[in-house]
Structure formats: structure tokens, C-alpha cells
Amino acid sequence: MVESFRQIWKSISSRPLFFAFAALSLVFLCGANAHAQGVTLPSVNFGFKTTEKPDEVVNALKIILMLTVLTLAPAILIMMTGFTRIIVVLSFLRQALGTAQMPPNQLLVGLSLFLTFFIMRPAFDEINNKSLRPYLAGQISQDKAIDEALSPLRKFMFNQTRDADLALFVKLSKMERPKTLADVPTTVLIPAFVISELKTAFQIGFIIYLPFLVIDMVISSVLMAMGMMMLPPVVISLPFKIMLFVLVDGWTLLIGSMVKSFG
């Protein structure tokens, strides 16, 4: 055993690549030890201290508010944009095809996210120009910036929300009937918008299911007529459904129709 290890060590150590790697490692370690004492690393300290300046308290509250907004950012992205409709429709498509985990969840979520940015780009640009930049430049107050940021999002949600869903949540909130859309609180608009998005997504999913359901029925009838009742129809229908989806250029047709549905 010892002789075999010695032979392996001799065969490795006799190669120039081994000496080059060893020399490079030695130089790196020596250089790291030589400069370790002269390198300074930044540190961040969190703590509480008393202050007599109101501006410092306001800045601390702004930081806490910013961290809260970052925590709620995923919920805002899902509930106040077209992300809900897109991800539900893509999930229906995968189930209609019967491909189990293909495309994978990460791909569907990523595609839904970028499609959401594409659809919401006009609203995001308006938020950046009328809310974020003026606030960072000190031209408007924080309350004004929040109102300007909510305005394009509310406009988008009103365009996609059904009157019946909005009336339902107005009734459930037990508030007075609003005279204009501006009188509708955002806390009432958001759940009405989500319900409308789910209803629209399920309607699109039903339409997607129909051609694939026809293929499943035809394949099942053929297999039953041939006496092959023990063979699962999904095994035979899956290639035909994929072929149909590819022949009609399904991704372009679906994505194009879904983006146009937000118009």
C-alpha cells in the first residue's frame, strides 16, 4: 500500500503542472499573510442612541419604512400587477399539456416576471418620473410621492377590474357608495382587482384546455376501439398535444394574446 502511494506521488510531483500550481499557491499564501495586517475591512454597526436632532429621527423612520416596503415588495408585485393572470395561465397551459414539471416552475415564474415588467413598463416609467425622481431630488414630500406612485397602479387596476367585483368589496367594506373612482380606497381596489384577475385567468385556462381535451378524448376512443384499455391514454396523447402546440406556434399565440388582454 505504501509503495503504491509513493509511486503515485512520484508520478504527480514529476510533472511541471504540479510545481506551477504549488508555486502559485505558495505565492498566494505568502502574499495574503504579508498584507493581512495592512488590510482594513468596513463594518456596519446597528444600535440605539439618544439624539436631540429631529432630522436624525426622521431619517431613521424613513429607513424603517423603506425596509418595510422592501419586505412587502413581492406582495405588491403579485397583487397590484398582471403577474397573477400570467402565472395562472401558464400553469393551466402546463397542466393542459400534461407535461408534469416541464417547463419547470423557475422558468414559468421567471417568464411571468419579465412579462409583468414588459406590461407594467408605462406605469413604472410614470412612477419613476413623477414620484421617485422628484422625491429623491427633494422636490415633493413623502406623502405626495406615495400618491404619485399609487396613481398609475390604481389606473391599471381600475382598467382590469370588473364593476361587479369592485361593487362586492365596496359592499363588504360597509362604506358609503363612492361617487368617483378616486373615492375608492386602495385597500378595497386591490382585492377586487385580484378576484377579477383570477376570473380572467380561469377563463383563458378553460379556452386553452379545450383543444387538448379533444385530443385526449379522440385518443381514448381509439384505444378503447382497439381493445387497448390497459394503456393510459396520456402516454399516447402527450406527443400529439406537444406537436399541435408547436405547429400552431403556441407560445407566440398565447403570449401575444395574453399581453393584448391587458390593453
Side-chain angles (χ1 to χ4, degrees):
M1 180 69 69
V2 176
E3 292 296 331
S4 61
F5 279 113
R6 287 179 179 176
Q7 292 178 0
I8 295 174
W9 172 257
K10 290 181 180 180
S11 61
I12 296 177
S13 60
S14 61
R15 298 182 180 180
L17 181 62
F18 172 79
F19 288 104
F21 179 75
L24 183 62
S25 302
L26 182 62
V27 170
F28 177 77
L29 293 176
C30 292
N33 293 329
H35 295 282
Q37 297 179 354
V39 176
T40 59
L41 298 177
S43 62
V44 179
N45 296 323
F46 294 94
F48 297 94
K49 64 178 182 179
T50 59
T51 181
E52 297 179 356
K53 298 180 180 179
D55 294 340
E56 294 183 1
V57 178
V58 173
N59 292 331
L61 293 177
K62 288 182 178 180
I63 293 175
I64 295 175
L65 179 62
M66 183 179 298
L67 293 176
T68 304
V69 171
L70 290 177
T71 304
L72 298 176
I76 294 174
L77 179 63
I78 294 174
M79 298 301 175
M80 301 178 67
T81 64
F83 183 85
T84 302
R85 183 188 304 185
I86 297 172
I87 190 63
V88 172
V89 170
L90 293 180
S91 299
F92 270 122
L93 173 63
R94 186 173 64 181
Q95 293 182 8
L97 285 172
T99 53
Q101 295 298 322
M102 190 62 60
N105 292 329
Q106 293 84 352
L107 181 58
L108 293 183
V109 173
L111 178 59
S112 302
L113 186 62
F114 281 102
L115 286 176
T116 302
F117 289 148
F118 178 79
I119 294 169
M120 301 298 297
R121 182 178 178 181
F124 290 158
D125 289 341
E126 186 176 350
I127 293 173
N128 184 38
N129 296 330
K130 294 185 178 180
S131 175
L132 182 60
R133 288 184 177 179
Y135 176 71
L136 294 178
Q139 299 175 358
I140 59 176
S141 63
Q142 183 177 354
D143 294 337
K144 182 65 174 178
I146 294 176
D147 293 337
E148 292 292 338
L150 285 176
S151 178
L153 293 177
R154 284 173 57 90
K155 181 179 178 181
F156 173 80
M157 288 189 290
F158 274 124
N159 292 334
Q160 307 300 325
T161 304
R162 293 177 174 82
D163 296 336
D165 297 329
L166 186 60
L168 171 64
F169 282 93
V170 169
K171 181 179 179 181
L172 293 176
S173 64
K174 298 181 180 179
M175 60 177 292
E176 295 182 0
R177 184 175 181 179
K179 298 179 180 180
T180 61
L181 295 179
D183 298 332
V184 179
T186 305
T187 54
V188 174
L189 175 59
I190 293 177
F193 167 74
V194 174
I195 295 299
S196 296
E197 287 293 283
L198 289 175
K199 184 176 181 179
T200 303
F202 274 67
Q203 290 175 347
I204 298 175
F206 173 75
I207 297 174
I208 292 174
Y209 254 99
L210 287 180
F212 301 116
L213 180 61
V214 172
I215 294 178
D216 287 333
M217 293 176 63
V218 171
I219 296 297
S220 299
S221 301
V222 172
L223 292 178
M224 187 174 295
M226 297 176 61
M228 304 174 64
M229 293 177 293
M230 300 300 296
L231 181 63
V234 178
V235 177
I236 307 299
S237 63
L238 179 58
F240 290 96
K241 290 190 287 187
I242 295 176
M243 181 180 63
L244 173 65
F245 190 72
V246 172
L247 290 178
V248 299
D249 200 4
W251 286 112
T252 302
L253 183 62
L254 177 63
I255 298 301
S257 300
M258 190 160 46
V259 172
K260 292 178 182 178
S261 67
F262 288 96

